[in-house]
Amino acid sequence: MPPSTMWMNMGYWKHTQSFPEACTALLEKVLQTARLLSYDKRPLDISDSSALRIIDVGCGCGDQTIYLTQRLCRMDKHGLGSGSRPLFDDYVGINVNQHQTDFARQRIESTAKDNSIHIFSADAADPRSWSYELKNAVTAASQQESGTKQSATIQTWLLALDTLYHFKPSREPLLSYAARQLNASFMAFDLILADSITLIDSILLRIVCFMSSIPFSNFKTLSEYSDMLVRAGYAADKIEMHDISESVFSGIGAYMEQREVELKKFKLSLGKLRVAGKLFSWWGRNNVSSNWQIPTSLPAGLVSVFVGGTDGIGAATVKQLARHAREPRIYIVGRSQKSGNRVVEECRKLNPNGQYTLLLADVSLLSTVDDICRKIQEKETAINLLFLSAGNVGADHETSEGLPMTMALVHYSRVRFILNLLPLLRRADDLRRVVSVFFAHKEGHFHPDDIQARHISVLSKRSHIATMVTLSLESLAKKAPEVSYIHANPGIVKTKSRDMSLVMRAASSFIGSFSSIPLEESGERHLFLATSAMYRPSIQHHEKDDAHDPACGVPLEIGLTPAIGSNGQTLSGVYSVDWDGETYELHLETYLQKLRESGDLEELKKHTESEFKRITGSVPSGR
């Protein structure tokens, strides 16, 4: 038995989480913009002497055909749908897929009340290839039994609902034919490139185009799209476009992610669609609209500590928080007085109402970490955000405390900061979050016999330490489940890498020249990770949909759902977030679960505590 609905578009998810409802809403949004449907979903008053004809390219399996021909009718003199005459007097559907066309015809034949509905299998992108019957159907005057007079005013509409970017080699021949030969008005949902598209967005889009057999040349900017319509024959002053991306990509991305998770249970997959789903999710998740809600969703006076905040990703995120938060109090911890002063000055320009405190320190030393934490504890009774980004894989010398530099910065120092400041994080009434920036989603072989990674390669070291970061956050979450913890992978970002070896800097520079993320954009993304309710603590004051716990962060837009945690469960409180926003991979979750069961997590905890005692003489309780 085929499913009851077979809609095929991205959907408009502003008011629903149901795929069929979202698909219907997208069609309604296009009709409303074309002023054929009111915003209370009633057809607008159209003269009885006017005939409306519609040519629907890419009509799918019949759902939108049924909606357009059977659910919409003309208004009577009282402003009510009389049901005696459909809104469109004549419908022509075109679909390149013969099987879908046959199925749509069967559905329509079983429900249609007249013979004004025609569905053809043809390549809509190439009107020259159309059969005589199809050309006659789209050009013949509408003379139906509805009583339309031959002298009636005939208005023809071309509808393309989420289809035109698939057309090969281009959508332009169809648009020119519609404008010049049919004198047809045009309404569509289509994809348009942002003028400021990043190189990495462009590369990923090319990958999706290749996987989906979509011509990349079909993706145009707003001005390019307008120019194309003018060339086709449409008047420039009559062109109207609306950006609804915020209500599209996040919803369809979340839906496809959920479907992928459900299918994985049966060892099935979305296949090639998974790539598109990841891209939609990334576009939706990393949309800065969530950041713009910070002033209204989070209280004034958020207290944040940025370790590694004088440069790179930390500094970029500091500035984004200063831009968006109300009266923030931000502690910026770093080594460089010059860089730190610059960041503070830029923050003051972005938001003069904030308080920005620079704390100079070498955070590779645990004794210095304790000193910095004491200074913060003396001034604050609660902290909302601890953001840790100091350190990378390239540094291989030892600190004066006898720790390998990379391990000191990425593991020991970060765990020490969290344990010292965890009591203040737990006291916060609102947002409570820890973000540790390293190589999330690259967790791999853990070496329990070489925890400090003194005798393994750089690539093995990366996955080894990434595993340590995620497992350490899981251990800390057991102490304070009311706090959420994120291990973030920033991807390749255009930032300085002075602590890397020469070879690592050269490799990073070469790869980054092709696919790096602008630093400002990375700051926007990390602010999203730091403040969005997508990454919730495992213990919440309110778990019902209608009662938002302020500790969760900025509420999610309709269509978005909480992220899946490092243990494969939603609301787990610990999240390993890749550069594209992905939080779940079955093989990673399976591997981490084996480590939890093996006792390696407990061994890592004991080792860390023993080093704390050796160097400082104490282990913070975190309570």
Side-chain angles (χ1 to χ4, degrees):
M1 290 289 293
S4 58
T5 62
M6 296 183 69
W7 282 98
M8 296 180 186
N9 65 60
M10 292 189 192
Y12 183 72
W13 301 82
K14 189 171 185 178
H15 303 295
T16 184
Q17 295 186 32
S18 162
F19 181 66
E21 290 178 4
C23 291
T24 304
L26 184 62
L27 175 56
E28 291 171 344
K29 186 69 174 177
V30 172
L31 293 170
Q32 288 163 352
T33 306
R35 297 172 181 82
L36 295 173
L37 190 69
S38 69
Y39 283 91
D40 59 2
K41 300 182 182 180
R42 295 188 303 169
L44 299 180
D45 184 19
I46 298 172
S47 171
D48 283 339
S49 64
S50 297
L52 278 182
R53 308 174 63 242
I54 186 167
I55 302 167
D56 183 5
V57 293
C59 58
C61 292
D63 291 85
Q64 66 196 50
T65 304
I66 293 172
Y67 180 92
L68 291 166
T69 60
Q70 298 181 25
R71 290 181 58 182
L72 299 179
C73 56
R74 299 288 179 100
M75 291 287 132
D76 60 20
K77 62 182 180 180
H78 301 294
L80 301 174
S82 63
S84 61
R85 182 180 174 187
L87 176 63
F88 295 103
D89 298 284
D90 195 51
Y91 174 94
V92 177
I94 305 174
N95 195 328
V96 72
N97 186 297
Q98 183 67 58
H99 296 294
Q100 292 180 13
T101 302
D102 293 340
F103 183 71
R105 284 172 178 164
Q106 292 175 12
R107 296 180 70 187
I108 298 305
E109 288 172 0
S110 65
T111 58
K113 298 178 181 179
D114 55 47
N115 60 354
S116 64
I117 304 172
H118 314 278
I119 303 177
F120 297 86
S121 180
D123 182 3
D126 184 13
R128 294 175 302 176
S129 68
W130 293 357
S131 65
Y132 170 80
E133 291 78 13
L134 173 53
K135 287 183 177 179
N136 186 60
V138 300
T139 57
S142 178
Q143 298 294 329
Q144 305 300 330
E145 296 178 1
S146 59
T148 304
K149 297 180 181 179
Q150 189 166 352
S151 60
T153 301
I154 300 174
Q155 184 180 6
T156 302
W157 279 91
L158 174 68
L159 169 65
L161 189 68
D162 196 10
T163 61
L164 289 179
Y165 54 91
H166 290 276
F167 282 17
K168 300 176 183 178
S170 168
R171 56 171 83 76
E172 293 196 45
L174 172 65
L175 294 175
S176 296
Y177 184 81
R180 300 182 187 279
Q181 302 297 320
L182 304 179
N183 194 30
S185 300
F186 171 57
M187 56 179 168
F189 169 82
D190 207 353
L191 298 185
I192 295 178
L193 288 179
D195 291 327
S196 59
I197 183 172
T198 65
L199 182 58
I200 196 165
D201 276 324
S202 178
I203 291 172
L204 285 173
L205 184 56
R206 286 180 182 273
I207 293 172
V208 171
C209 288
F210 175 77
M211 297 288 290
S212 307
S213 298
I214 297 173
F216 180 76
S217 59
N218 273 345
F219 290 90
K220 303 180 182 298
T221 64
L222 190 66
S223 59
E224 290 171 342
Y225 203 100
S226 295
D227 291 343
M228 176 187 67
L229 291 175
V230 172
R231 286 196 306 272
Y234 292 100
D237 61 343
K238 300 295 184 181
I239 297 173
E240 183 178 334
M241 299 190 196
H242 298 268
D243 182 5
I244 59 171
S245 55
E246 289 183 10
S247 300
V248 174
F249 292 123
S250 60
I252 186 62
Y255 172 77
M256 293 177 74
E257 277 195 349
Q258 185 60 40
R259 292 292 296 160
E260 179 71 14
V261 171
E262 293 170 356
L263 288 171
K264 277 184 177 179
K265 298 176 182 177
F266 305 99
K267 300 190 182 301
L268 299 173
S269 173
L270 291 173
K272 291 182 179 180
L273 289 177
R274 185 169 178 263
V275 178
K278 283 178 174 289
L279 187 60
F280 296 151
S281 296
W282 180 38
W283 283 341
R285 285 174 177 167
N286 291 291
N287 196 301
V288 296
S289 62
S290 174
N291 294 344
W292 287 104
Q293 296 180 45
I294 290 174
T296 56
S297 300
L298 298 179
L302 289 176
V303 179
S304 304
V305 177
F306 283 80
V307 180
T310 58
D311 206 350
I313 294 167
T317 311
V318 166
K319 287 183 279 189
Q320 289 300 325
L321 180 60
R323 181 193 304 274
H324 293 288
R326 289 182 292 140
E327 302 175 13
R329 294 205 301 278
I330 303 177
Y331 292 87
I332 303 167
V333 183
R335 292 180 296 176
S336 171
Q337 179 84 55
K338 182 179 179 180
S339 297
N341 289 341
R342 185 185 67 249
V343 173
V344 169
E345 187 61 29
E346 291 177 4
C347 287
R348 286 173 179 162
K349 290 179 180 178
L350 290 167
N351 187 346
N353 295 322
Q355 297 179 25
Y356 313 101
T357 303
L358 176 62
L359 298 174
L360 295 177
D362 178 2
V363 296
S364 68
L365 300 176
L366 299 185
S367 56
T368 303
V369 170
D370 289 347
D371 290 340
I372 291 295
C373 290
R374 276 193 291 270
K375 290 179 180 179
I376 296 171
Q377 291 163 342
E378 290 170 359
K379 294 184 177 181
E380 303 294 345
T381 59
I383 291 174
N384 300 101
L385 171 65
L386 175 58
F387 191 96
L388 304 157
S389 60
N392 55 58
V393 178
D396 54 7
H397 55 283
E398 278 198 355
T399 70
S400 60
E401 293 175 336
L403 297 174
M405 180 60 72
T406 295
M407 297 299 300
L409 288 169
V410 179
H411 176 63
Y412 300 102
S413 171
R414 296 189 186 192
V415 173
R416 190 81 178 183
F417 264 112
I418 297 171
L419 284 172
N420 281 337
L421 298 179
L422 205 50
L424 299 187
L425 282 159
R426 301 178 75 181
R427 291 189 200 127
D429 292 328
D430 302 289
L431 180 70
R432 298 186 291 270
R433 185 158 301 174
V434 174
V435 178
S436 185
V437 180
F438 191 59
F439 281 107
H441 247 53
K442 298 297 182 286
E443 294 88 349
H445 183 55
F446 177 67
H447 298 262
D449 56 342
D450 188 12
I451 289 179
Q452 294 188 345
R454 293 179 181 271
H455 308 293
I456 58 179
S457 68
V458 172
L459 290 179
S460 296
K461 183 186 296 186
R462 184 188 71 171
S463 59
H464 169 81
I465 301 176
T467 302
M468 291 175 63
V469 172
T470 299
L471 292 180
S472 294
L473 292 178
E474 289 186 1
S475 178
L476 291 161
K478 294 178 181 179
K479 289 180 175 289
E482 64 270 52
V483 178
S484 58
Y485 306 81
I486 297 175
H487 177 192
N489 184 344
I492 300 174
V493 180
K494 291 180 180 177
T495 182
K496 296 178 181 179
S497 48
R498 56 193 171 195
D499 291 331
M500 289 185 182
S501 66
L502 180 61
V503 173
M504 289 294 291
R505 285 203 304 269
S508 177
S509 177
F510 176 75
I511 297 172
S513 65
F514 292 99
S515 58
S516 59
I517 300 168
L519 189 55
E520 182 177 356
E521 180 182 332
S522 181
E524 292 174 346
R525 295 185 185 196
H526 283 86
L527 182 60
F528 176 83
L529 296 180
T531 57
S532 171
M534 183 172 289
Y535 312 101
R536 305 181 182 187
S538 60
I539 291 181
Q540 302 168 60
H541 297 309
H542 305 290
E543 296 186 358
K544 296 181 179 179
D545 293 338
D546 59 349
H548 175 72
D549 183 355
C552 294
V554 177
L556 298 180
E557 296 179 10
I558 291 177
L560 284 177
T561 55
I564 298 173
S566 59
N567 63 354
Q569 304 295 320
T570 56
L571 306 178
S572 75
V574 180
Y575 306 90
S576 177
V577 186
D578 205 353
W579 66 275
D580 60 356
E582 181 68 39
T583 61
Y584 178 77
E585 287 288 351
L586 180 60
H587 71 278
L588 287 179
E589 192 276 322
T590 302
Y591 176 70
L592 291 175
Q593 182 58 31
K594 289 181 179 178
L595 290 180
R596 298 181 193 108
E597 295 172 354
S598 70
D600 285 339
L601 177 58
E602 188 61 29
E603 287 300 313
L604 174 60
K605 179 182 175 182
K606 289 180 180 178
H607 166 82
T608 304
E609 291 179 347
S610 69
E611 288 293 81
F612 283 171
K613 290 180 181 178
R614 176 181 71 81
I615 296 170
T616 69
S618 66
V619 178
S621 67
R623 300 186 182 279

